């Protein structure tokens, strides 16, 4: 199925940090996991809606909603528990971390309960076992009549997925490739870069149904059903919650409701593919544009404020101020923004409960502040020392000199660099999609999963980003000319 995590090392380090922070990474020894949900009246479920027919999005009565077999399973569990269901969308690599850090009560996202994963989280009973398939091009059906014929071929799988593990084990003589998203793999298959793509059987069926030039063949793996089926993930020690969920799963499996769920999913998938024009999904792109713009604007404003504070601290003669500022700047500039976003959302968010959008803004602002601080410092250092001496000779205090003489001139000199930082934030803020912020990149992946179109959504998002950055560049140049004229 899907990838286990963004990176096992990253997830391990994050959970280790959380345990050191205050023990939020796992459930408490006194198992109150079920009672907490009933007291709150809400069941928080993490999922990644880019994996039809398990979970994806569909437009229902003009509104975008989460649908799919896993969503139906979650609805049944919430109904049996007598609570409301709250779906929390995020990148698949973040779902298990969200469970471990207590951001959600469970993850239902087509995840396999492998031994490796059981070391980090607990699992329910299997609620669906579909098996494994390979997608191939219809024109190659005679060449690849069965999985044995794929030995020596070019096989693609999703990074960190069960399919990747299996292909490494059973197809050692083949050329193996991996990508983050299944739509990318399918596009590579259709463009001839791959001969086959390993996926879950329902996923293969969904692609074949909506792509006339694709067919599926059975993978022929001999697998342990206890590790390859889909199960619900909980934090370690959530025995009471797991027992309650298993009762719901027992009801679902006895009545074979998963077949009904898949039929319902197929209907939504068919509706999605009736019209795959990008104009139909304009609301997705519009919402992504609004959130991307909001994140960039707010993050830059607070980033500039933080940058000014940091540079004043760093230039201070007091070591108590300069050392922390220097350390902060070096740490932020020396670590990937993705790690910072995860740390704010799962680390700080475990103490201060904040929505994904707020966490994304905070993380981007904290990152931008470190870079802005260095830009401002460069602007201050570029000024002639005589400016400060002249201000002091006029009787201005150090504070007034910095406020009325140094900073205004420094900002004039660094305006192009600040503009570049703003443009970078617009583009780099796309990383917040991993925690479920519905920015342009998040909506791009949703549209690709819903329409089975690999290129068109990318082109639309590229055009939107270009318009945003081009407009911003023209505006910044206008103000730069005004300042130079003054």
């Amino acid at each position: 199925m899907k990838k286990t995590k963004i990176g096992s090392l990253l997830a391990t380090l994050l959970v280790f940090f959380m345990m050191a922070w205050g023990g939020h990474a796992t459930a408490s020894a006194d198992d109150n996991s079920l009672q907490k949900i009933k007291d709150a009246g809400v069941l928080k479920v993490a999922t990644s809606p880019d994996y039809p027919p398990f979970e994806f999005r569909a437009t229902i009565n003009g509104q975008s909603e989460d649908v799919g077999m896993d969503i139906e399973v979650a609805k049944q569990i919430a109904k049996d528990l007598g609570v409301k269901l709250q779906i929390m969308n995020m990148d698949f690599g973040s779902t298990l971390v969200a469970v471990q850090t207590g951001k959600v009560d469970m993850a239902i996202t087509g995840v396999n309960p492998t031994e490796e994963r059981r070391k980090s989280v607990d699992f329910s009973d299997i609620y669906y076992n579909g098996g494994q398939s390979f997608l191939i091009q219809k024109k190659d059906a005679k060449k690849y009549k069965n999985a044995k014929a794929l030995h020596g071929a070019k096989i693609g799988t999703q990074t960190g997925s069960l399919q990747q593990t299996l292909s490494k084990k059973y197809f050692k003589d083949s050329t193996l490739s991996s990508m983050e998203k299944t739509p990318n793999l399918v596009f590579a298959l259709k463009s001839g870069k791959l001969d086959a793509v390993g996926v879950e059987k329902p996923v293969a069926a969904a692609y074949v149904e909506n792509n006339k030039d694709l067919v599926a063949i059975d993978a022929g793996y001999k697998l342990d059903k206890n590790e390859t089926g889909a199960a619900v993930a909980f934090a370690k020690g959530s025995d009471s919650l797991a027992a309650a969920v298993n009762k719901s799963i027992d009801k679902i499996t006895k009545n074979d409701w998963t077949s009904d769920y898949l039929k319902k999913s197929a209907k939504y998938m068919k509706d999605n593919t009736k019209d795959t024009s990008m104009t139909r999904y304009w609301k997705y792109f519009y919402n992504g544009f609004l959130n991307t713009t909001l994140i960039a604007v707010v993050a830059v404003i607070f980033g500039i404020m933080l940058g000014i504070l940091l540079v004043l601290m760093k230039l201070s003669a007091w070591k108590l101020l300069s050392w922390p500022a220097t350390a902060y700047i070096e740490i932020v500039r020396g670590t990937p923004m993705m790690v910072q976003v995860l740390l704010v959302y799962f680390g700080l968010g475990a103490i201060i409960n904040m929505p994904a959008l707020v966490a994304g803004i905070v993380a981007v602002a904290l990152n931008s502040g470190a870079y802005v601080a260095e830009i401002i410092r460069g602007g201050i250092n570029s000024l002639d020392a005589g400016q400060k001496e002249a201000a002091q000779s006029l009787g201005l205090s150090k504070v007034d000199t910095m406020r009325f003489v140094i900073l205004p001139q420094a900002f004039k000199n660094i305006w192009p660099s600040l503009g570049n930082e703003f443009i970078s934030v617009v583009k780099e803020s796309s990383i917040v999609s991993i925690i479920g912020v519905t920015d342009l990149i998040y909506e791009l992946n949703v549209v690709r999963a819903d329409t089975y179109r690999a290129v068109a959504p990318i082109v639309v998002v590229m055009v939107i980003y270009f318009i945003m950055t081009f407009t911003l560049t023209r505006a910044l140049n206008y103000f730069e000319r005004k300042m130079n004229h003054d």
Side-chain angles (χ1 to χ4, degrees):
M1 287 187 179
K2 297 182 183 178
K3 58 184 180 296
T4 308
K5 354 184 154 135
I6 293 173
S8 57
L9 177 60
L10 173 59
T12 301
L13 289 174
L14 182 59
V15 174
F16 175 80
F17 171 83
M18 284 304 305
M19 293 175 69
W21 189 282
H24 295 277
T26 57
S28 62
D30 299 327
D31 178 28
N32 61 347
S33 54
L34 178 59
Q35 192 59 47
K36 281 173 59 179
I37 294 171
K38 291 188 174 181
D39 290 344
V42 178
L43 175 66
K44 297 179 181 179
V45 176
T47 192
S48 177
D50 58 0
Y51 199 61
F54 286 91
E55 54 269 330
F56 57 105
R57 296 184 73 83
T59 302
I60 303 173
N61 297 324
Q63 299 294 323
S64 177
E65 295 185 17
D66 293 299
V67 296
M69 180 175 66
D70 286 347
I71 305 302
E72 296 300 321
V73 171
K75 287 179 179 178
Q76 184 61 48
I77 293 172
K79 180 181 178 181
D80 292 341
L81 294 180
V83 297
K84 294 181 179 179
L85 175 64
Q86 181 181 349
I87 298 293
M88 299 182 68
N89 293 327
M90 59 189 68
D91 186 89
F92 178 77
S94 300
T95 55
L96 294 187
V97 181
V99 169
Q100 291 173 278
T101 55
K103 295 292 291 185
V104 296
D105 301 309
M106 61 180 67
I108 306 179
T109 180
V111 64
N112 307 115
T114 62
E115 285 302 316
E116 180 185 356
R117 289 169 175 162
R118 289 183 185 277
K119 295 176 183 177
S120 303
V121 295
D122 287 340
F123 284 100
S124 69
D125 296 335
I126 302 294
Y127 62 84
Y128 180 77
N129 202 320
Q132 302 295 319
S133 294
F134 282 107
L135 283 171
I136 61 172
Q137 292 196 66
K138 182 177 286 187
K139 65 179 183 180
D140 293 332
K142 292 183 178 180
K143 181 179 180 182
Y144 303 119
K145 293 181 179 180
N146 52 50
K148 291 182 179 180
L150 290 174
H151 285 281
K154 293 177 289 186
I155 298 175
T157 54
Q158 193 176 28
T159 303
S161 66
L162 174 65
Q163 289 79 25
Q164 184 182 38
T165 302
L166 293 172
S167 63
K168 288 180 179 179
K169 179 179 179 180
Y170 289 94
F171 292 91
K172 295 179 181 180
D173 56 343
S174 298
T175 302
L176 306 179
S177 302
S178 62
M179 297 182 187
E180 291 292 327
K181 299 290 184 180
T182 301
N184 293 338
L185 290 164
V186 175
F187 179 68
L189 172 64
K190 295 172 71 173
S191 61
K193 294 181 175 63
L194 295 173
D195 297 317
V197 173
V199 291
E200 189 82 5
K201 273 191 176 180
V203 178
Y207 273 99
V208 170
E209 179 69 22
N210 294 281
N211 291 268
K212 295 181 180 180
D213 53 349
L214 297 179
V215 294
I217 58 175
D218 188 80
Y221 296 131
K222 295 180 180 179
L223 303 173
D224 181 356
K225 291 185 178 182
N226 292 324
E227 288 195 1
T228 59
V232 182
F234 317 96
K236 280 288 188 181
S238 303
D239 296 337
S240 59
L241 177 58
V245 169
N246 282 337
K247 289 182 180 179
S248 296
I249 290 176
D250 185 57
K251 185 190 300 183
I252 291 170
T253 54
K254 280 185 177 179
N255 292 283
D256 194 26
W257 286 344
T258 52
S259 297
D260 297 330
Y261 297 160
L262 286 173
K263 290 177 182 178
K264 191 174 182 179
S265 299
K267 179 181 177 299
Y268 287 128
M269 291 161 64
K270 188 175 182 179
D271 291 341
N272 278 349
T273 54
K274 281 181 180 178
D275 178 10
T276 59
S277 64
M278 294 299 99
T279 54
R280 183 190 178 195
Y281 291 88
W282 71 269
K283 283 188 178 180
Y284 289 70
F285 296 119
Y286 178 68
N287 290 334
F289 163 76
L290 291 180
N291 283 335
T292 297
T293 303
L294 176 64
I295 293 168
V297 172
V298 177
V300 165
I301 291 173
F302 282 97
I304 291 175
M305 295 169 61
L306 177 60
I308 294 173
L309 176 63
L310 287 171
V311 76
L312 293 177
M313 290 175 62
K314 186 171 183 178
L315 295 177
S316 173
W318 294 353
K319 301 296 185 183
L320 192 62
L321 293 177
S322 62
W323 285 3
T326 301
Y328 176 87
I329 292 171
E330 292 301 322
I331 291 173
V332 170
R333 295 176 70 199
T335 55
M337 188 187 291
M338 182 182 74
V339 176
Q340 295 163 19
V341 170
L342 291 173
L343 190 57
V344 169
Y345 185 58
F346 294 115
L348 182 61
I351 300 172
I352 305 172
N353 189 23
M354 62 178 76
L357 179 59
V358 175
I361 292 174
V362 170
V364 176
L366 292 175
N367 179 275
S368 180
Y371 288 90
V372 169
E374 287 300 280
I375 293 173
I376 296 175
R377 186 176 68 85
I380 292 174
N381 291 339
S382 69
L383 297 179
D384 190 276
Q387 296 286 330
K388 185 183 294 185
E389 295 171 358
Q392 291 173 348
S393 68
L394 293 174
L396 294 179
S397 65
K398 289 185 177 180
V399 174
D400 287 341
T401 298
M402 181 63 71
R403 180 181 176 186
F404 297 111
V405 179
I406 304 300
L407 284 180
Q409 294 186 73
F411 268 95
K412 182 178 180 180
N413 292 343
I414 66 175
W415 186 254
S417 297
L418 282 178
N420 288 336
E421 172 63 15
F422 196 175
I423 292 171
S424 295
V425 168
V426 170
K427 295 181 292 185
E428 293 175 1
S429 63
S430 61
I431 196 67
V432 299
S433 62
I434 65 174
I435 58 173
V437 178
T438 52
D439 69 333
L440 279 169
I441 298 301
Y442 181 93
E443 298 292 9
L444 160 67
N445 290 325
V446 169
V447 173
R448 293 178 75 203
D450 289 354
T451 62
Y452 299 95
R453 298 185 65 180
V455 178
I458 296 176
V459 173
V460 172
V461 170
M462 284 182 64
V463 171
I464 294 174
Y465 269 118
F466 174 76
I467 292 174
M468 292 173 66
T469 56
F470 182 80
T471 303
L472 179 59
T473 301
R474 299 283 79 77
L476 292 169
N477 289 344
Y478 170 78
F479 287 110
E480 183 180 354
R481 289 193 298 269
K482 292 281 288 184
M483 285 189 291
N484 289 335
H485 178 72
D486 294 339

